[in-house]
Amino acid sequence: MADGDTTGQEARRSRGGRQQRRDARVGVEAGIHRPYIVRGIPTYDILSEESLQAIEATADRILAEIGIELREDHEAMRLYKAAGAEVTSETEDVWRIRFAPGMLREILKTAPAEFTQHARNPANNVRIGGKNVVFAPSYGSPFVMDLDKGRRYGTIEDFRNFIKLAQSSPWLHHSGGTVCEPTDVPVNKRHLDMVYSHIRYSDRAFLGSITAAERAADSVEMARIVFGEGFADQNCVVMGNFNTTSPLVIDGVTAAGIRTYAEANQGSIHLPFLLGGAVAPLTIAGMVAQGFAESMASCALTQLVRPGSPAILASFFSSMSLKTGSPTFGMPEPAIGSLAMGQLARRINLPLRCAGNFSTSKLPDGQAMWQSMMSMMSAIQGGANYVLHSAGFLDGLLSMSYEKVVMDTDICGALHAYLDGMAVNEDTLAFEALNELGPGQHLFSTQHTLRHYETAYWDSALDDNQPWETWDEQGGIDYAQRANTRWKKILREYEAPALDQGIDEALQDFMARRKASMADMWY
Amino acid sequence: MADGDTTGQEARRSRGGRQQRRDARVGVEAGIHRPYIVRGIPTYDILSEESLQAIEATADRILAEIGIELREDHEAMRLYKAAGAEVTSETEDVWRIRFAPGMLREILKTAPAEFTQHARNPANNVRIGGKNVVFAPSYGSPFVMDLDKGRRYGTIEDFRNFIKLAQSSPWLHHSGGTVCEPTDVPVNKRHLDMVYSHIRYSDRAFLGSITAAERAADSVEMARIVFGEGFADQNCVVMGNFNTTSPLVIDGVTAAGIRTYAEANQGSIHLPFLLGGAVAPLTIAGMVAQGFAESMASCALTQLVRPGSPAILASFFSSMSLKTGSPTFGMPEPAIGSLAMGQLARRINLPLRCAGNFSTSKLPDGQAMWQSMMSMMSAIQGGANYVLHSAGFLDGLLSMSYEKVVMDTDICGALHAYLDGMAVNEDTLAFEALNELGPGQHLFSTQHTLRHYETAYWDSALDDNQPWETWDEQGGIDYAQRANTRWKKILREYEAPALDQGIDEALQDFMARRKASMADMWY
């Protein structure tokens, strides 16, 4: 009966985690955290076997009959062809690649179901796949916003600030990648400052650049400087987050970038960003089938380059407002799609990236948080292993919000407790606690209450759960304003984790040389 | 393959529902709605068989060894005793009632797994139990609040306003009960005005009073006036929402009220309101076991009075802030508990009331909405059949919020779409939509998109999903302020559903006689 719903190992983990959480609470996000979550609750499987097979069959049919359009990358074309795909030239450097049913599944058998991405602080290594859940901040917003200064283009200072905020939260596990676009740095040099900032201001695992093959190579090279060339060749120390060009296209920059990471044995995420009615069918079943097909085709390239290199199946589903045609985020239909994607990923035995704290709201208000919660629940219930966009996402991903970062990280804390599930054993069933004083008597003073008082519940650092009168006396401050105060406090108190001076100098030297080797580009 | 995850009947329902939703959207909550939801997705079962058995065994042990303390109601004592319970007198009108393991389950076999509560408009009849989900507004707040006037005691005018707001939403299905306390009406006459207001301003099903046996009887009598005595004796036309006095006590007023509803063949809800560490163990497994035990004992009384009368198993779980000891609502641990309660209810084959849009926030802000969403998701995923507190809940249930009513009802709309799940069939899999134009081509103009454009997604009446620039030009209004504008508009445009004049006069006559028969009481 002990630990009915968790294995012994997970239960120990979980108890350890509870203790760490308590420590973190005392230290108010002092950086003591679980390196990642091992889920203690099952996934939420909403589709029947019949429906799953129908989606898989449609994905297979898409791949076999329509195929994927590959652009520009001759080497990728050669690899797909050598693996047995049917390749038809559309122009000199555009090919249609068709895959016989089941072919991609066969190729993907060499991809690991679970792998470790190493962090420069080994205590922060993350395990991706299986029952593991890793939270990373949001990715790719050109704008940033806060309550004081409103919305403006992101800068490298914002970029560093978001890394610092993420690093300061015990409820995130990964430093992410393009936490905002540092638009004040030239486009062709930005990746160097971004990767360096992740290494310098965080000691967690991170994502490298994917916007050009040479930027991908620079990212891998900087990771090698940190981890050593030999170690980096045998272990995942950096990952790239790649988008297909939906519907059904893989462009040359993406294919070359994927090959760069895979050749180096580094991880890659393969993400169709699907807006229903625009680049995917409006109906969710079709959107999921397409996303699954695209992501499998993209993932497979890694195994053709270097079998065994880590690849993450991924999907990003969004709907649209039928009134205006605008994209919508955090809606119920994509949430249902994400749950289905979880089932498909497990059937093909690949780690999954899916959903996150999505919202279309332009402020860190009630809309932002209900949409986020609906979307995020689908990630954690659906079994997503790597949840990019766990913190900061507003404005349909166009803006990274300082307030929402601290709101979302707090909620990520709540999700740690949620994913722990319910321990069912003699102690937690607490018969003796009820029996001690009997009917009608409050349990404040029972041994059971005293024993569990400090650890029973997750405690928010940002919610106001006081009585109305107390809250009112203290000024009646709303959630967004509390978040505003909080991110400033965290940045004031932030201390960078130590970085080996030799590594720091080597990184700076590498960046200087790379920057000197090319003229600034601004688009 | 067609409709892989919904039965034919449900799929038709669902398609009908989609059409109705579209109509509702056009009419902006014009009152066209599905009478209730039939879930198209499975429940989220988080506990293993072993854990469920451990909780059930603990509940049995609580009932057999500690027992329930019954106060004052000699008739209830006599009924429990006659059914075979072991009754020990503690004082002249306090008894300890102990139940042999399995005894309550046996008694509860005569309770219906599913039943219909009739509305005065038969189109609004709700089916409670099984795969059905019914949303009702929040219940029991002494205060009300809005952004203009802040927090103050509720009045009968507020009470009527909340009924009108609920009736105007296509996403609620039931008028609820004490939508706020009308504190300007004497305590002993309040129930008459409340029941009358539900009948007058709504044509949906509603809850009657439970605060005294004679008020319960008045509620049933007023329902008889509306539905006819014969019909009301054979059908559920009103329900009472009863709280146990946790831990493990059923007081005399509650027992007598339960008997009153059951004798009249009317429905009753049996709710332990459990605050961990105060009236229940801090650990969730123990809280669930206790709640299950209390609710079973309370439900069983209905079957001893009148076998076959409808009874709803229920639970309300809350945690506490470990920093302050204040109760917290919408937290992860109670959400996990609610999912477990769903599993227990299905194993005993009883309808379930559980969770709702809970929050401790004092404003309709981001905290309010993330907490609500976490709590509400546990209700709908866990298989709750009757979700009281679906709209308006703020301030730890102390305040009913005008803004939050319209926020929550909008989210209830999103949950309709969520509970519909994913239709998987040739049309929704949309192979031809992708094939029509092929890779790299937007799907805006495909036949598939045109065919589904008006119905593919739920559309919010309250979210702002426009581009930032449009939103900014329109004044940059936040969610709470939009809700403020919206509830006023709904009240302005509200029209009462027609009520038969004879019934209205009979009700008014009954109320006048009852009011004249007693002096005002103010506590």
Side-chain angles (χ1 to χ4, degrees), chain B residues 294-374:
Chain B
E294 287 187 17
S295 191
M296 278 199 294
S298 183
C299 282
L301 182 55
T302 63
Q303 302 309 300
L304 302 180
V305 171
R306 182 160 170 171
S309 59
I312 299 179
L313 196 78
S315 71
F316 187 120
F317 299 130
S318 80
S319 47
M320 66 163 73
S321 164
L322 303 183
K323 286 199 286 280
T324 64
S326 295
T328 47
F329 298 87
M331 291 287 112
E333 296 88 355
I336 288 290
S338 295
L339 293 174
M341 197 68 192
Q343 292 182 265
L344 294 168
R346 284 187 289 288
R347 285 160 75 91
I348 200 172
N349 218 16
L350 284 178
L352 175 69
R353 179 201 145 188
C354 199
N357 270 312
F358 297 176
S359 175
T360 335
S361 184
K362 272 66 71 180
L363 289 171
D365 59 4
Q367 176 185 338
M369 299 320 280
W370 91 253
Q371 291 182 331
S372 286
M373 202 63 198
M374 174 162 275

Side-chain angles (χ1 to χ4, degrees), chain A residues 5 42 44 48 51 247 278 282-283 286 323 333 362 365 367 381 428 440 443 448 457-458 460 464 466 479 482, chain B residues 5 42 44 48 51 247 278 282-283 286 323 333 362 365 367 381 428 440 443 448 457-458 460 464 466 479 482:
Chain A
D5 283 280
Y44 188 20
S48 66
S51 290
L282 273 169
T283 47
K323 286 198 287 276
E333 296 87 356
K362 271 67 69 180
D365 58 4
Q367 176 185 339
Q381 296 176 332
T428 61
L443 282 82
H448 186 269
Y457 303 126
W458 171 75
S460 168
D464 192 306
Q466 303 177 104
Y479 190 61
R482 292 197 300 274
Chain B
D5 283 281
Y44 188 18
S48 66
S51 290
L282 273 170
T283 48
K323 286 199 286 280
E333 296 88 355
K362 272 66 71 180
D365 59 4
Q367 176 185 338
Q381 295 176 333
T428 61
L443 283 82
H448 186 269
Y457 303 127
W458 171 75
S460 168
D464 191 307
Q466 304 178 103
Y479 189 61
R482 292 197 301 274

Side-chain angles (χ1 to χ4, degrees), chain A residues 1 4-5 39 41-48 50-51 54-55 58 61-62 65-67 69 96 151 247-249 276-287 290 319-323 325-328 331-333 336-337 339-340 360 362-363 365-367 369-371 373-374 381 395 411 414-415 417-418 422-424 428-432 434-435 439-444 448-449 452-454 456-460 463-469 471 478-479 482, chain B residues 1 4-5 39 41-48 50-51 54-55 58 61-62 65-67 69 96 145 151 247-249 276-287 290 319-323 325-328 331-333 336-337 339-340 360 362-363 365-367 369-371 373-374 381 395 411 414-415 417-418 422-424 428-432 434-435 439-444 448-449 452-454 456-460 463-469 471 478-479 482:
Chain A
M1 193 181 89
D5 283 280
R39 61 184 310 124
I41 54 174
T43 54
Y44 188 20
D45 296 338
I46 58 158
L47 289 187
S48 66
E50 191 184 10
S51 290
I55 291 174
T58 303
R61 200 176 159 207
I62 291 168
E65 298 182 30
I66 308 176
E69 183 175 295
R96 190 71 69 91
R151 187 196 205 229
L248 302 175
V249 175
V279 301
L282 273 169
T283 47
I284 298 293
M287 195 187 288
Q290 177 190 337
S319 47
M320 66 164 72
S321 164
L322 304 182
K323 286 198 287 276
S326 296
T328 47
M331 291 288 113
E333 296 87 356
I336 288 290
L339 293 174
T360 334
K362 271 67 69 180
L363 290 171
D365 58 4
Q367 176 185 339
M369 299 321 281
W370 91 253
Q371 291 182 331
M373 203 60 201
M374 174 161 276
Q381 296 176 332
D395 187 17
I411 289 172
L415 295 174
Y418 189 92
M422 187 193 297
V424 179
T428 61
L429 285 165
F431 175 81
E432 287 309 330
L434 274 178
N435 201 29
Q441 302 302 312
H442 277 211
L443 282 82
F444 294 128
H448 186 269
T449 299
H452 288 277
Y453 187 72
E454 299 217 319
Y457 303 126
W458 171 75
D459 224 359
S460 168
D463 289 350
D464 192 306
N465 292 315
Q466 303 177 104
W468 188 88
E469 293 74 10
W471 168 82
D478 86 347
Y479 190 61
R482 292 197 300 274
Chain B
M1 193 180 88
D5 283 281
R39 63 184 309 124
I41 53 174
T43 54
Y44 188 18
D45 295 338
I46 58 157
L47 288 188
S48 66
E50 191 184 10
S51 290
I55 292 174
T58 303
R61 201 176 158 206
I62 291 168
E65 297 182 30
I66 309 176
E69 183 175 295
R96 190 71 69 91
M145 48 169 74
R151 187 195 204 228
L248 303 174
V249 175
V279 301
L282 273 170
T283 48
I284 298 294
M287 195 187 288
Q290 177 190 336
S319 47
M320 66 163 73
S321 164
L322 303 183
K323 286 199 286 280
S326 295
T328 47
M331 291 287 112
E333 296 88 355
I336 288 290
L339 293 174
T360 335
K362 272 66 71 180
L363 289 171
D365 59 4
Q367 176 185 338
M369 299 320 280
W370 91 253
Q371 291 182 331
M373 202 63 198
M374 174 162 275
Q381 295 176 333
D395 187 17
I411 288 173
L415 296 174
Y418 189 93
M422 188 194 296
V424 179
T428 61
L429 285 164
F431 175 82
E432 288 309 331
L434 273 178
N435 202 28
Q441 302 302 313
H442 277 212
L443 283 82
F444 294 129
H448 186 269
T449 299
H452 288 278
Y453 188 73
E454 299 217 322
Y457 303 127
W458 171 75
D459 226 357
S460 168
D463 290 350
D464 191 307
N465 292 315
Q466 304 178 103
W468 187 87
E469 292 74 11
W471 168 82
D478 85 348
Y479 189 61
R482 292 197 301 274

Side-chain angles (χ1 to χ4, degrees), chain B residues 104-270:
Chain B
L104 291 178
R105 273 187 191 74
E106 198 55 39
I107 292 171
L108 288 167
K109 282 185 176 162
T110 55
E114 219 180 296
F115 65 94
T116 297
Q117 182 182 357
H118 292 262
R120 71 175 179 90
N121 176 353
N124 291 334
N125 290 352
V126 290
R127 190 89 187 136
I128 297 177
K131 290 190 169 189
N132 310 306
V133 183
V134 172
F135 293 147
S138 207
Y139 183 106
S141 301
F143 298 100
V144 301
M145 48 169 74
D146 66 63
L147 291 185
D148 306 312
K149 291 191 267 177
R151 187 195 204 228
R152 71 272 182 191
Y153 278 104
T155 65
I156 190 70
E157 189 191 343
D158 292 310
F159 189 96
R160 291 178 191 133
N161 284 342
F162 288 125
I163 292 176
K164 292 174 185 177
L165 289 175
Q167 166 77 10
S168 301
S169 172
W171 312 123
L172 296 180
H173 316 110
H174 192 282
S175 196
T178 308
V179 289
C180 70
E181 279 292 341
T183 60
D184 53 345
V185 180
V187 166
N188 59 334
K189 300 180 179 177
R190 217 170 259 187
H191 63 289
L192 299 164
D193 292 283
M194 292 199 283
V195 169
Y196 177 76
S197 298
H198 279 293
I199 298 167
R200 182 72 193 83
Y201 300 107
S202 168
D203 61 358
R204 295 183 181 159
F206 61 91
L207 302 178
S209 176
I210 50 88
T211 53
E214 68 274 17
R215 297 173 203 159
D218 284 347
S219 304
V220 171
E221 193 51 41
M222 290 175 80
R224 284 188 183 123
I225 292 172
V226 175
F227 291 91
E229 201 156 330
F231 187 86
D233 186 63
Q234 295 303 312
N235 295 282
C236 176
V237 295
V238 63
M239 295 202 297
N241 181 60
F242 294 93
N243 277 51
T244 51
T245 306
S246 303
L248 303 174
V249 175
I250 298 176
D251 67 41
V253 169
T254 300
I258 291 168
R259 289 192 296 105
T260 303
Y261 278 86
E263 275 161 17
N265 202 22
Q266 299 309 305
S268 49
I269 302 165
H270 301 263

